[in-house]
Amino acid sequence: MTELLSNYLGGRWQAGSGVGTALFDPVLGNELVRVDATGLDLAAGFAFAREQGGAALRALNYRQRGELLVAVAKVLQANRDAYYDISTANSGTVKADTGIDVDGAIYTLSTYAKLAAGLPEGHFLPDGEAQSLAKDGSFATRHIRVPVDGLALFINAFNFPSWGLWEKAAPALLSGVPVVVKPATATAWLTQRMVKDVVDAGVLPAGALSIVCGSSAGLMDALAPQDVLSFTGSADTAALLRSHPAVAQYSVRVNIEADSINSAVLLPDAAPGTPAFDLFVKELAREMTQKAGQKCTAIRRAFVPAASFDAVAQAVGARLAKTVVGNPRNESVRMGSLVSRAQLGSIREGIATLRGAAQVLHDGSSAALVDADPAVACCVGPTLFGLATPDAVLANAVVHEVEVFGPVATLLPYANVAQAVAQVARGQGSLVASLYGDDAPLLAHTALQLAPLHGRVHVVSPACATTHTGHGNAMPQSMHGGPGRAGGGAELGGLRALDFYHRRVAIQGAPEVLGAL
Ligand code: NAP
C-alpha cells in the first residue's frame, strides 16, 4: 500500500478513515500515494477556520498580511525541487510546464505581497468619499469594504495543482479570509505537499490554511452564508454547485471558472511572410502543446483569413511535427502526458467527435512516444483540425461547442473581420481571445469588438513580439475569468481580486463618526 496523505483541518493533521483513492504516475502507470477524506468532521473544521483562522488574520492589517505572503513564497521557494519531482511524477509535465504551475504560483504570491504595500495599515478598504445626506452636513454616508466574515472554499481543477491554489489563496489571505482547499483528486499530491510545507513552517496563523483531499462529499453542506466558494472545473459540476442550497438559498458568493472555447484571430494584414503571421503560428503551436493542451485558456479555435489558411496549416503542422512527446524525464521530450487515463479517454473521445465534424490537418495520434509505453502512458500527440471554407465554419456547430481539454485545436477560415468576430462569439463567452497583426487601429477596434465576450483580450503585434506574456498565461496583474460559458468569474487583475473576499457596506452617521472609522 502506498502512503495515505493526511488532511489538515481544525488545526491538525487528520487521516481519512477509508482505504483511500490512489493517485498514479500518468506516464509509468504506478501508484504514487492515496488520498481520503472519509469521516472528517467538516463542520467542526470549517468552524475552526472561520473562528480561529479568520480572527487571527483579521487581527492583522493588510500590510502585515502581505508579509505572510512573503513568508509563504519563501517556504515554497525553499522546497521547489520537491514540487518539480512531484509534478513530473503525478502530472507527467516537462520542466517548462511545471514551471508555469510552481513558479507561476510563487510569482503570483510575490506580486500580491508587493501590492500589499499600497494598501492601508488598517482593517478595511475605503471606497470613495463620504457624501452628505443632510442639508446642513450633519449626517452623511461613507462606503467601505470589509473582509467577509467567513472562509473561502476552493474546489480546484486537476491541471494546476500549485498555481490553482495560490492564485486564489494570495488575494484571500491578503484580504484576511481563511482558506480551505479541496484539490482535484488526480493531482492532489502537489497541493497537499505545499500546504504541508507551509503548515510545518508555521508561517500562517492556525486555521488560516486547511486542506481536504479526496471526495468532495459534504463540503458544500458545511458552508455558511458568510463563506465564499471559488470553483474551477467543468461546466457540469459548476451547474451542480450553483443549485446547492448554500448558494441558491443562503447566497454563498460563488466564483466559477469553467470550460472555455478560446480563440485566436490572425488579422488580414498579417499575410504569410510578415512578422505577425509568424507570431501567430508560433503561439498557436505553443498553446496546443504547452501542458499538453490542458490549460483552461488554451487556443481551441484559430481564425485566419481564407487566403492564408493553407499557409497557416502548413507552418503550424511543421512545428507540431517537431514536438517530441513522451516521458518528461527524458530531456528531448517537449510535451509530457495528460494527467490520467480518464483524461486520455476523454481526449480520444473529443478527437473522435471533431473527426466527424472537421478534417485533420495534422495528425499526432500516431506520433512515436519517447521512453513511454503507449499501452500505459497517458500521452497523445497534437492534432490540428480544420474547416476548408468560411461557409463551412458558419454551418458547423461542433467546433464552436466542443472543448477537447488536450493538445487539440481547429483552424477556421473567415471572409472578413466582422465575420470572424461573429464566429468567435459562438463560443458563448470565453476566458481569452488573442489578436495578431500590425495595424494598431484595426487591432484596437477588433479588441473592442471582442471585449464583451471575454475576460481578457491579448493583442500581439511585432512591437511586443518578445515581451508579450503569451495568450494562455494568466498574469496576476490581469483579470482571469470570462463571461457566459466560461463561468462568469473574475480572478486576479491585481487588487481587483480582493473584491471577491470583501463586502461593501455603507456606514451612515455624523461626519465625526465617519471620520473616526
Ligand atoms: P470537474 O470534474 O468539474 O472537477 C473539478 C473539481 O470539482 C475537482 O476538485 C472535483 O473533485 C470537484 N468535484 C467534482 N464533482 C463535485 C461535486 N459534485 N461537488 C463538489 N465538487 C466536485 O472538472 P474536471 O473535468 O476534472 O476538469 C476539467 C475541466 O475544468 C475542463 O472542462 C476545463 O475547461 C475546466 N477548467 C477550467 C479552468 C478555468 O480557469 N476556467 C481551469 C482549469 C480547468 P474530484 O477531482 O475529486 O472529482
Side-chain angles (χ1 to χ4, degrees), residues 100-148:
I100 303 172
D101 192 25
V102 171
D103 299 328
I106 296 171
Y107 174 68
T108 302
L109 276 161
S110 306
T111 301
Y112 275 94
K114 284 191 191 122
L115 287 172
L119 292 175
E121 279 179 291
H123 299 274
F124 66 85
L125 296 175
D127 185 16
E129 298 297 319
Q131 275 196 310
S132 181
L133 296 176
K135 276 190 183 151
D136 65 358
S138 63
F139 190 69
T141 182
R142 181 181 175 194
H143 289 83
I144 61 170
R145 286 179 298 151
V146 292
V148 298

Side-chain angles (χ1 to χ4, degrees), residues 21-25 30-35 90 185-189:
T21 305
L23 275 56
F24 294 93
D25 183 318
N30 56 301
E31 183 176 320
L32 298 166
V33 289
R34 287 169 302 128
V35 293
N90 192 198
T185 297
T187 57
W189 190 13

Side-chain angles (χ1 to χ4, degrees), residues 155-156 158-159 182 184-185 232-234 237 257-259 296 403 480:
I155 299 182
N156 280 355
F158 59 76
N159 57 340
K182 184 265 182 268
T185 297
T232 304
S234 67
T237 309
E257 304 287 346
D259 48 357
C296 47
E403 182 200 42
H480 174 62

